[in-house]
Amino acid sequence: MIKKSVLFFSLLFVSSLSFADVEYLRLSPGKVIAYEHIVKNQNGDTLILLPGVNRALNPSDRAVRALAQQGWNILMPSLPAHPLSVKGLKSSEVPYFKYDSSVRVKDFAGDVEALTAHLGIKKAIPVTLSYSSSIGAYLNEKLFPHVIETVPLGIATEGDPESAKNAELWENWLRLNPFMAPFWIRQFRDTAYATHWGQTVDANLKADADFYGENPRVADIKSGYVTIARAVEDFNFPEWDFRNEKRTRDFVFAGQENPERLKNQIEVLKHYLTSGKPVRVLVVANAGHILPTDDPTVYAGVLTLLATQSRQSSVQFAIVNSAESLKSLRWQDGSALENWIKANQR
């Protein structure tokens, strides 16, 4: 009986820390942004966990539960084109992206800013996750003077470089007709996005009919993903103007990262270093690209460390092997970071 009571209260404690309802903020006709918001300290900082390309993090994710247990306020926004936001539309409502093909990641950044203003969040640290480095780049630097970049996206095509090369060949051929090229290239890209995400959504539904909830708007979900893919196609983080930006960054990389992604991430980091701005770089040794899922405890610990520990020098570098190793973490200097970069450049 005692063991059952302890188990019950343990589960209740974890649940109370991580519980948050999905809420919706209406931004305009056909456009809402879904979010989950955990408030543990009214006067504390808020970690804004920006979403990946597929979805936002949510309170059931182990990394989020760990951060909540540590007392963090946490905001988890979806994008207005993500399935969870589409679910918040009225049944007769047409999603805004169905009649607006001009949506870009800069617009998503504006949506996140509108949400934080609506919630009255004054002190926030955005934490990007892969795709959302493109969103963090466009956030108002006066409101968000520091960003934690987690496995940042370098360029939109890095996930499938072979297909990207083939697509470039086709687009170069289409450009032989300068009058029709813009239209043909737009159609070519959108068809590719629609094929990829259509197959992805169908596969998710085949594996689990309730993957997107009850009575999902499948066609709109697919169109939303096409919008998300199109929005980032011109983003090039390795060429970002870090020098003239009034913002500092920390970087978190995965030790088991895809080589193509890591190559681009290193180019971003090298370019950032030329700005002369302070930086801390942490490598989570035993995690792959989906870092919050691969090593949620370390992920949560790394975010807490970066968000609470003051800098010791302009360039700090460390490799994290486990959550336990964070307790005795020893930062290395810029020369150690330079050696790591050289060892991982391909």
Side-chain angles (χ1 to χ4, degrees), residues 288-323:
H289 186 67
I290 311 177
L291 206 155
T293 300
D294 286 359
D295 208 332
T297 305
V298 171
Y299 175 77
V302 162
L303 295 190
T304 294
L305 184 149
L306 292 175
T308 58
Q309 188 182 96
S310 58
R311 290 187 178 86
Q312 300 169 8
S313 61
S314 60
V315 178
Q316 296 171 245
F317 170 72
I319 296 176
V320 181
N321 294 299
S322 66

mmCIF file of all heavy atoms in Angstrom, residues 288-323:
data_model
loop_
_atom_site.group_PDB
_atom_site.id
_atom_site.type_symbol
_atom_site.label_atom_id
_atom_site.label_comp_id
_atom_site.label_asym_id
_atom_site.label_seq_id
_atom_site.Cartn_x
_atom_site.Cartn_y
_atom_site.Cartn_z
ATOM 1 N N GLY A 288 22.079 12.273 -31.427
ATOM 2 C CA GLY A 288 21.977 12.594 -32.840
ATOM 3 C C GLY A 288 21.212 13.889 -33.045
ATOM 4 O O GLY A 288 21.024 14.664 -32.111
ATOM 5 N N HIS A 289 20.727 14.098 -34.265
ATOM 6 C CA HIS A 289 20.152 15.385 -34.638
ATOM 7 C C HIS A 289 18.921 15.755 -33.804
ATOM 8 O O HIS A 289 18.720 16.931 -33.487
ATOM 9 C CB HIS A 289 19.785 15.384 -36.124
ATOM 10 C CG HIS A 289 19.312 16.709 -36.628
ATOM 11 N ND1 HIS A 289 20.138 17.819 -36.715
ATOM 12 C CD2 HIS A 289 18.084 17.130 -37.055
ATOM 13 C CE1 HIS A 289 19.456 18.858 -37.178
ATOM 14 N NE2 HIS A 289 18.211 18.460 -37.395
ATOM 15 N N ILE A 290 18.094 14.780 -33.464
ATOM 16 C CA ILE A 290 16.891 15.088 -32.668
ATOM 17 C C ILE A 290 17.283 15.036 -31.199
ATOM 18 O O ILE A 290 16.918 14.128 -30.447
ATOM 19 C CB ILE A 290 15.740 14.120 -32.995
ATOM 20 C CG1 ILE A 290 15.551 14.031 -34.514
ATOM 21 C CG2 ILE A 290 14.438 14.602 -32.351
ATOM 22 C CD1 ILE A 290 14.499 13.051 -34.958
ATOM 23 N N LEU A 291 18.037 16.015 -30.799
ATOM 24 C CA LEU A 291 18.711 16.007 -29.509
ATOM 25 C C LEU A 291 17.766 15.900 -28.315
ATOM 26 O O LEU A 291 18.033 15.144 -27.373
ATOM 27 C CB LEU A 291 19.587 17.261 -29.405
ATOM 28 C CG LEU A 291 20.805 17.222 -28.497
ATOM 29 C CD1 LEU A 291 21.839 18.224 -28.971
ATOM 30 C CD2 LEU A 291 20.422 17.518 -27.062
ATOM 31 N N PRO A 292 16.625 16.634 -28.283
ATOM 32 C CA PRO A 292 15.729 16.528 -27.123
ATOM 33 C C PRO A 292 15.160 15.125 -26.922
ATOM 34 O O PRO A 292 14.817 14.752 -25.805
ATOM 35 C CB PRO A 292 14.608 17.523 -27.442
ATOM 36 C CG PRO A 292 15.190 18.443 -28.454
ATOM 37 C CD PRO A 292 16.143 17.613 -29.260
ATOM 38 N N THR A 293 15.070 14.364 -28.009
ATOM 39 C CA THR A 293 14.560 12.994 -27.911
ATOM 40 C C THR A 293 15.685 12.004 -27.648
ATOM 41 O O THR A 293 15.532 11.076 -26.845
ATOM 42 C CB THR A 293 13.831 12.602 -29.212
ATOM 43 O OG1 THR A 293 12.739 13.502 -29.421
ATOM 44 C CG2 THR A 293 13.307 11.176 -29.140
ATOM 45 N N ASP A 294 16.817 12.210 -28.296
ATOM 46 C CA ASP A 294 17.938 11.277 -28.158
ATOM 47 C C ASP A 294 18.527 11.287 -26.752
ATOM 48 O O ASP A 294 18.927 10.241 -26.238
ATOM 49 C CB ASP A 294 19.034 11.617 -29.178
ATOM 50 C CG ASP A 294 18.649 11.221 -30.585
ATOM 51 O OD1 ASP A 294 17.551 10.678 -30.761
ATOM 52 O OD2 ASP A 294 19.448 11.452 -31.509
ATOM 53 N N ASP A 295 18.627 12.460 -26.150
ATOM 54 C CA ASP A 295 19.203 12.559 -24.799
ATOM 55 C C ASP A 295 18.496 13.674 -24.033
ATOM 56 O O ASP A 295 19.065 14.744 -23.786
ATOM 57 C CB ASP A 295 20.707 12.835 -24.873
ATOM 58 C CG ASP A 295 21.452 12.299 -23.645
ATOM 59 O OD1 ASP A 295 20.818 12.226 -22.576
ATOM 60 O OD2 ASP A 295 22.644 11.956 -23.764
ATOM 61 N N PRO A 296 17.223 13.448 -23.641
ATOM 62 C CA PRO A 296 16.417 14.525 -23.055
ATOM 63 C C PRO A 296 16.960 15.076 -21.743
ATOM 64 O O PRO A 296 16.866 16.278 -21.489
ATOM 65 C CB PRO A 296 15.049 13.871 -22.858
ATOM 66 C CG PRO A 296 15.301 12.402 -22.871
ATOM 67 C CD PRO A 296 16.461 12.200 -23.777
ATOM 68 N N THR A 297 17.536 14.215 -20.910
ATOM 69 C CA THR A 297 18.051 14.682 -19.627
ATOM 70 C C THR A 297 19.240 15.611 -19.812
ATOM 71 O O THR A 297 19.335 16.668 -19.178
ATOM 72 C CB THR A 297 18.448 13.488 -18.739
ATOM 73 O OG1 THR A 297 17.333 12.598 -18.607
ATOM 74 C CG2 THR A 297 18.855 13.960 -17.348
ATOM 75 N N VAL A 298 20.152 15.231 -20.695
ATOM 76 C CA VAL A 298 21.304 16.076 -20.981
ATOM 77 C C VAL A 298 20.856 17.367 -21.662
ATOM 78 O O VAL A 298 21.350 18.461 -21.347
ATOM 79 C CB VAL A 298 22.335 15.331 -21.852
ATOM 80 C CG1 VAL A 298 23.423 16.277 -22.335
ATOM 81 C CG2 VAL A 298 22.956 14.196 -21.057
ATOM 82 N N TYR A 299 19.919 17.262 -22.582
ATOM 83 C CA TYR A 299 19.395 18.443 -23.268
ATOM 84 C C TYR A 299 18.863 19.459 -22.263
ATOM 85 O O TYR A 299 19.203 20.651 -22.319
ATOM 86 C CB TYR A 299 18.288 18.019 -24.239
ATOM 87 C CG TYR A 299 17.568 19.151 -24.930
ATOM 88 C CD1 TYR A 299 18.144 19.829 -25.996
ATOM 89 C CD2 TYR A 299 16.290 19.539 -24.526
ATOM 90 C CE1 TYR A 299 17.476 20.852 -26.642
ATOM 91 C CE2 TYR A 299 15.617 20.568 -25.160
ATOM 92 C CZ TYR A 299 16.214 21.223 -26.227
ATOM 93 O OH TYR A 299 15.547 22.240 -26.849
ATOM 94 N N ALA A 300 18.046 18.990 -21.330
ATOM 95 C CA ALA A 300 17.489 19.889 -20.315
ATOM 96 C C ALA A 300 18.592 20.476 -19.447
ATOM 97 O O ALA A 300 18.587 21.670 -19.128
ATOM 98 C CB ALA A 300 16.473 19.134 -19.452
ATOM 99 N N GLY A 301 19.562 19.654 -19.071
ATOM 100 C CA GLY A 301 20.666 20.125 -18.242
ATOM 101 C C GLY A 301 21.518 21.153 -18.943
ATOM 102 O O GLY A 301 21.960 22.142 -18.337
ATOM 103 N N VAL A 302 21.744 20.948 -20.239
ATOM 104 C CA VAL A 302 22.548 21.882 -21.029
ATOM 105 C C VAL A 302 21.845 23.238 -21.126
ATOM 106 O O VAL A 302 22.473 24.293 -20.968
ATOM 107 C CB VAL A 302 22.811 21.303 -22.434
ATOM 108 C CG1 VAL A 302 23.241 22.388 -23.412
ATOM 109 C CG2 VAL A 302 23.874 20.215 -22.359
ATOM 110 N N LEU A 303 20.532 23.236 -21.373
ATOM 111 C CA LEU A 303 19.803 24.495 -21.470
ATOM 112 C C LEU A 303 19.844 25.248 -20.146
ATOM 113 O O LEU A 303 20.031 26.475 -20.118
ATOM 114 C CB LEU A 303 18.352 24.243 -21.884
ATOM 115 C CG LEU A 303 18.118 23.664 -23.276
ATOM 116 C CD1 LEU A 303 16.631 23.701 -23.616
ATOM 117 C CD2 LEU A 303 18.918 24.405 -24.337
ATOM 118 N N THR A 304 19.668 24.523 -19.050
ATOM 119 C CA THR A 304 19.713 25.164 -17.733
ATOM 120 C C THR A 304 21.086 25.762 -17.464
ATOM 121 O O THR A 304 21.210 26.891 -16.972
ATOM 122 C CB THR A 304 19.350 24.149 -16.633
ATOM 123 O OG1 THR A 304 17.975 23.760 -16.804
ATOM 124 C CG2 THR A 304 19.522 24.738 -15.242
ATOM 125 N N LEU A 305 22.129 25.028 -17.804
ATOM 126 C CA LEU A 305 23.487 25.523 -17.597
ATOM 127 C C LEU A 305 23.727 26.805 -18.395
ATOM 128 O O LEU A 305 24.224 27.807 -17.864
ATOM 129 C CB LEU A 305 24.493 24.446 -17.992
ATOM 130 C CG LEU A 305 25.977 24.741 -17.756
ATOM 131 C CD1 LEU A 305 26.736 23.463 -17.447
ATOM 132 C CD2 LEU A 305 26.615 25.415 -18.975
ATOM 133 N N LEU A 306 23.361 26.799 -19.679
ATOM 134 C CA LEU A 306 23.609 27.963 -20.532
ATOM 135 C C LEU A 306 22.755 29.161 -20.123
ATOM 136 O O LEU A 306 23.172 30.314 -20.280
ATOM 137 C CB LEU A 306 23.346 27.603 -21.989
ATOM 138 C CG LEU A 306 24.327 26.617 -22.622
ATOM 139 C CD1 LEU A 306 23.862 26.246 -24.037
ATOM 140 C CD2 LEU A 306 25.742 27.176 -22.676
ATOM 141 N N ALA A 307 21.561 28.885 -19.610
ATOM 142 C CA ALA A 307 20.654 29.975 -19.268
ATOM 143 C C ALA A 307 20.931 30.587 -17.893
ATOM 144 O O ALA A 307 20.463 31.686 -17.611
ATOM 145 C CB ALA A 307 19.209 29.474 -19.315
ATOM 146 N N THR A 308 21.694 29.882 -17.063
ATOM 147 C CA THR A 308 21.907 30.370 -15.697
ATOM 148 C C THR A 308 23.362 30.679 -15.368
ATOM 149 O O THR A 308 23.624 31.519 -14.501
ATOM 150 C CB THR A 308 21.404 29.334 -14.676
ATOM 151 O OG1 THR A 308 22.088 28.084 -14.863
ATOM 152 C CG2 THR A 308 19.905 29.113 -14.814
ATOM 153 N N GLN A 309 24.292 30.038 -16.048
ATOM 154 C CA GLN A 309 25.710 30.226 -15.713
ATOM 155 C C GLN A 309 26.287 31.409 -16.481
ATOM 156 O O GLN A 309 26.081 31.538 -17.686
ATOM 157 C CB GLN A 309 26.497 28.955 -16.051
ATOM 158 C CG GLN A 309 27.948 28.975 -15.574
ATOM 159 C CD GLN A 309 28.691 27.716 -15.982
ATOM 160 O OE1 GLN A 309 29.381 27.679 -16.998
ATOM 161 N NE2 GLN A 309 28.544 26.663 -15.187
ATOM 162 N N SER A 310 27.011 32.271 -15.787
ATOM 163 C CA SER A 310 27.631 33.422 -16.442
ATOM 164 C C SER A 310 28.872 32.979 -17.217
ATOM 165 O O SER A 310 29.503 31.974 -16.892
ATOM 166 C CB SER A 310 28.017 34.485 -15.413
ATOM 167 O OG SER A 310 28.900 33.944 -14.449
ATOM 168 N N ARG A 311 29.211 33.756 -18.230
ATOM 169 C CA ARG A 311 30.379 33.432 -19.049
ATOM 170 C C ARG A 311 31.671 33.658 -18.266
ATOM 171 O O ARG A 311 31.770 34.569 -17.458
ATOM 172 C CB ARG A 311 30.403 34.288 -20.311
ATOM 173 C CG ARG A 311 29.326 33.928 -21.310
ATOM 174 C CD ARG A 311 29.536 34.710 -22.601
ATOM 175 N NE ARG A 311 28.549 34.345 -23.605
ATOM 176 C CZ ARG A 311 27.351 34.899 -23.683
ATOM 177 N NH1 ARG A 311 27.000 35.837 -22.833
ATOM 178 N NH2 ARG A 311 26.495 34.515 -24.618
ATOM 179 N N GLN A 312 32.648 32.812 -18.554
ATOM 180 C CA GLN A 312 33.957 32.944 -17.920
ATOM 181 C C GLN A 312 34.967 33.606 -18.853
ATOM 182 O O GLN A 312 35.949 34.188 -18.408
ATOM 183 C CB GLN A 312 34.463 31.561 -17.498
ATOM 184 C CG GLN A 312 33.546 30.865 -16.498
ATOM 185 C CD GLN A 312 33.920 29.405 -16.297
ATOM 186 O OE1 GLN A 312 34.939 28.946 -16.790
ATOM 187 N NE2 GLN A 312 33.099 28.674 -15.563
ATOM 188 N N SER A 313 34.745 33.520 -20.157
ATOM 189 C CA SER A 313 35.627 34.135 -21.152
ATOM 190 C C SER A 313 34.841 34.316 -22.440
ATOM 191 O O SER A 313 33.669 33.932 -22.523
ATOM 192 C CB SER A 313 36.872 33.270 -21.389
ATOM 193 O OG SER A 313 36.491 31.993 -21.878
ATOM 194 N N SER A 314 35.489 34.888 -23.429
ATOM 195 C CA SER A 314 34.766 35.183 -24.669
ATOM 196 C C SER A 314 34.419 33.939 -25.478
ATOM 197 O O SER A 314 33.411 33.908 -26.180
ATOM 198 C CB SER A 314 35.577 36.158 -25.527
ATOM 199 O OG SER A 314 36.833 35.585 -25.857
ATOM 200 N N VAL A 315 35.261 32.904 -25.401
ATOM 201 C CA VAL A 315 35.001 31.645 -26.101
ATOM 202 C C VAL A 315 35.176 30.490 -25.123
ATOM 203 O O VAL A 315 36.234 30.331 -24.517
ATOM 204 C CB VAL A 315 35.958 31.449 -27.298
ATOM 205 C CG1 VAL A 315 35.698 30.112 -27.975
ATOM 206 C CG2 VAL A 315 35.799 32.584 -28.308
ATOM 207 N N GLN A 316 34.124 29.709 -24.963
ATOM 208 C CA GLN A 316 34.168 28.543 -24.073
ATOM 209 C C GLN A 316 33.642 27.323 -24.818
ATOM 210 O O GLN A 316 32.694 27.418 -25.603
ATOM 211 C CB GLN A 316 33.318 28.790 -22.819
ATOM 212 C CG GLN A 316 33.833 29.932 -21.953
ATOM 213 C CD GLN A 316 32.844 30.278 -20.847
ATOM 214 O OE1 GLN A 316 32.281 31.367 -20.826
ATOM 215 N NE2 GLN A 316 32.638 29.355 -19.922
ATOM 216 N N PHE A 317 34.249 26.168 -24.546
ATOM 217 C CA PHE A 317 33.913 24.945 -25.275
ATOM 218 C C PHE A 317 33.953 23.764 -24.326
ATOM 219 O O PHE A 317 34.817 23.673 -23.447
ATOM 220 C CB PHE A 317 34.907 24.724 -26.415
ATOM 221 C CG PHE A 317 34.787 23.382 -27.076
ATOM 222 C CD1 PHE A 317 33.709 23.101 -27.898
ATOM 223 C CD2 PHE A 317 35.750 22.401 -26.870
ATOM 224 C CE1 PHE A 317 33.596 21.853 -28.510
ATOM 225 C CE2 PHE A 317 35.647 21.159 -27.473
ATOM 226 C CZ PHE A 317 34.559 20.879 -28.302
ATOM 227 N N ALA A 318 32.997 22.843 -24.500
ATOM 228 C CA ALA A 318 32.999 21.620 -23.681
ATOM 229 C C ALA A 318 32.244 20.521 -24.411
ATOM 230 O O ALA A 318 31.332 20.779 -25.206
ATOM 231 C CB ALA A 318 32.370 21.874 -22.316
ATOM 232 N N ILE A 319 32.639 19.293 -24.131
ATOM 233 C CA ILE A 319 31.934 18.109 -24.626
ATOM 234 C C ILE A 319 31.253 17.449 -23.441
ATOM 235 O O ILE A 319 31.877 17.212 -22.405
ATOM 236 C CB ILE A 319 32.899 17.129 -25.317
ATOM 237 C CG1 ILE A 319 33.512 17.783 -26.562
ATOM 238 C CG2 ILE A 319 32.174 15.838 -25.708
ATOM 239 C CD1 ILE A 319 34.547 16.917 -27.263
ATOM 240 N N VAL A 320 29.966 17.164 -23.591
ATOM 241 C CA VAL A 320 29.165 16.581 -22.510
ATOM 242 C C VAL A 320 28.888 15.117 -22.839
ATOM 243 O O VAL A 320 28.320 14.807 -23.890
ATOM 244 C CB VAL A 320 27.831 17.337 -22.338
ATOM 245 C CG1 VAL A 320 27.026 16.734 -21.206
ATOM 246 C CG2 VAL A 320 28.082 18.813 -22.100
ATOM 247 N N ASN A 321 29.279 14.230 -21.942
ATOM 248 C CA ASN A 321 29.077 12.792 -22.163
ATOM 249 C C ASN A 321 27.847 12.244 -21.453
ATOM 250 O O ASN A 321 27.313 11.210 -21.854
ATOM 251 C CB ASN A 321 30.312 12.019 -21.700
ATOM 252 C CG ASN A 321 31.530 12.323 -22.553
ATOM 253 O OD1 ASN A 321 31.534 12.073 -23.755
ATOM 254 N ND2 ASN A 321 32.569 12.891 -21.950
ATOM 255 N N SER A 322 27.401 12.914 -20.403
ATOM 256 C CA SER A 322 26.257 12.426 -19.630
ATOM 257 C C SER A 322 25.714 13.557 -18.779
ATOM 258 O O SER A 322 26.365 14.600 -18.598
ATOM 259 C CB SER A 322 26.680 11.256 -18.731
ATOM 260 O OG SER A 322 27.593 11.713 -17.738
ATOM 261 N N ALA A 323 24.518 13.338 -18.233
ATOM 262 C CA ALA A 323 23.939 14.334 -17.329
ATOM 263 C C ALA A 323 24.808 14.502 -16.090
ATOM 264 O O ALA A 323 24.953 15.603 -15.559
ATOM 265 C CB ALA A 323 22.523 13.910 -16.946
#
